[in-house]
Amino acid sequence: MSQKVLKVSVLANYLKQKLDSDFLLQNIIIQGEISNFTNHRSGHWYFTLKDEKSRISCVMFSSSASKVKFLPKEGDKVLVKCNTSIFEPTGQLQLYVTAMKMDGLGDLYLQYEQLKNKLNQEGLFDESNKKSIPKYPKKIGLITGRNTAAREDVIATITRRWPIATISEIPVLVQGEGSSLQLINAINTIDKLDLDVVLIVRGGGSIEDLWSFNSEDLARAIFKMKTPIISGVGHEVDVTIVDYVCDKRAPTPTGAAEMATPNIDEVTLNLNNYKTRMISILKTK
């Protein structure tokens, strides 16, 4: 045999890394029927997800399972949000489930997955198209709901971390009828204001609440922007089409504000250190 010989563990590790790094196999929505459900004393859930043609093993760790509002049983039709990977000790393909709902919103999730795949294939999510975020922004744009907790968190965070920046706001509806159009108009308007970076944020909610951020027209408007943009939509488990197309995605509105700004205390300390070093060098010369 002239080919390179691999250990089983090396192959399993290689396959795991490949799956873990595949964008299309992470944070996906799968529809199926619960089978062989086990509620372990540790709080972890082990089960099989199946349809009429295939089945796959799943695990849901207690930290995620504790957030599910029902106890699954044999035959339940569910939608799960999950990551695809391999359990190295056995080499078994598994879904690592992070969220679960009864399958009453299947059509919305299906539309979401179809649009995500379509835009991904067109290159709207490619890293090569992402714009870099300026290190020291002077002018920051903010698109969010009027008088919302998300807005207050962002304003407070920017004011605390980088008070020298000016903030230009465009308040919009962040859910409900007409909200997608308002978001698109806000994107087109704010991109003309010669800003350094833009934040688009809102708090968490159900897939219906966040549906405005899954608009194809909104995604295309963001993709055409000249200004770098950071999304902070929902909580960490909420991922919308906007998150994929923006230049950076933060898990929360506060996280988006932190991602957009340096800490002024750290910047001041660094400047003082540079000053001290420059004086020392000049004295030496």
Side-chain angles (χ1 to χ4, degrees), residues 27-44:
N27 204 32
I28 56 178
I29 307 294
I30 301 294
Q31 180 184 44
E33 180 181 320
I34 294 282
S35 178
N36 301 322
F37 179 79
T38 299
N39 185 3
H40 195 268
R41 62 177 179 274
S42 63
H44 304 330

Side-chain angles (χ1 to χ4, degrees), residues 18-284:
K18 282 290 186 182
L19 290 173
D20 290 351
S21 62
D22 190 326
F23 176 85
L24 294 178
L25 295 179
Q26 305 305 312
N27 204 32
I28 56 178
I29 307 294
I30 301 294
Q31 180 184 44
E33 180 181 320
I34 294 282
S35 178
N36 301 322
F37 179 79
T38 299
N39 185 3
H40 195 268
R41 62 177 179 274
S42 63
H44 304 330
W45 292 353
Y46 301 92
F47 56 95
T48 299
L49 206 59
K50 67 177 185 178
D51 60 18
E52 62 276 6
K53 294 182 179 179
S54 301
R55 59 180 60 215
I56 190 167
S57 296
C58 304
V59 58
M60 190 173 196
F61 296 123
S62 58
S63 57
S64 297
S66 62
K67 299 174 184 177
V68 179
K69 298 179 181 179
F70 65 96
L71 183 65
K73 64 182 185 300
E74 192 81 12
D76 277 350
K77 302 287 195 305
V78 296
L79 294 165
V80 301
K81 181 179 288 186
C82 57
N83 299 312
T84 311
S85 190
I86 279 182
F87 183 56
E88 286 189 66
T90 62
Q92 183 177 23
L93 182 69
Q94 284 195 151
L95 298 181
Y96 289 82
V97 179
T98 56
M100 179 187 295
K101 291 183 178 180
M102 294 298 288
D103 186 11
L105 300 171
D107 289 343
L108 285 183
Y109 281 110
L110 183 59
Q111 291 176 45
Y112 168 86
E113 284 297 320
Q114 288 174 340
L115 179 58
K116 185 178 81 170
N117 291 333
K118 174 185 176 181
L119 298 181
N120 181 56
Q121 290 173 6
E122 291 183 25
L124 270 69
F125 305 157
D126 289 357
E127 285 298 321
S128 59
N129 292 321
K130 305 292 186 185
K131 297 177 286 294
S132 59
I133 307 301
K135 195 169 183 179
Y136 305 110
K138 296 179 181 178
K139 296 177 288 184
I140 299 174
L142 176 60
I143 298 174
T144 190
R146 192 189 303 272
N147 299 324
T148 61
R151 176 194 177 274
E152 297 305 318
D153 289 344
V154 168
I155 297 295
T157 301
I158 294 175
T159 302
R160 170 176 52 83
R161 286 175 58 85
W162 196 235
I164 65 176
T166 59
I167 303 173
S168 299
E169 291 186 65
I170 299 184
V172 294
L173 288 174
V174 291
Q175 71 182 73
E177 186 176 354
S179 54
S180 287
L181 183 57
Q182 285 197 19
L183 286 164
I184 292 166
N185 290 337
I187 288 293
N188 293 332
T189 299
I190 211 164
D191 196 35
K192 300 174 183 177
L193 300 183
D194 191 30
L195 303 173
D196 296 312
V197 65
V198 172
L199 308 182
I200 181 168
V201 304
R202 71 147 284 164
S206 65
I207 187 171
E208 300 100 323
D209 294 337
L210 300 176
W211 195 247
S212 301
F213 294 85
N214 291 321
S215 159
E216 180 174 354
D217 290 339
L218 176 59
R220 295 191 184 281
I222 290 172
F223 183 73
K224 293 177 182 177
M225 287 181 70
K226 297 176 181 178
T227 313
I229 182 168
I230 301 172
S231 68
V233 178
H235 302 305
E236 189 166 0
V237 297
D238 301 317
V239 184
T240 66
I241 297 297
V242 162
D243 293 315
Y244 287 114
V245 76
C246 281
D247 298 303
K248 292 287 184 182
R249 183 244 172 184
T252 62
T254 300
E258 292 174 344
M259 193 175 287
T261 56
N263 186 315
I264 195 167
D265 294 332
E266 294 177 2
V267 173
T268 302
L269 179 62
N270 287 336
L271 288 174
N272 287 333
N273 288 338
Y274 293 147
K275 178 181 176 182
T276 301
R277 288 170 58 189
M278 290 172 66
I279 293 174
S280 177
I281 292 170
L282 286 171
K283 284 183 177 179
T284 300

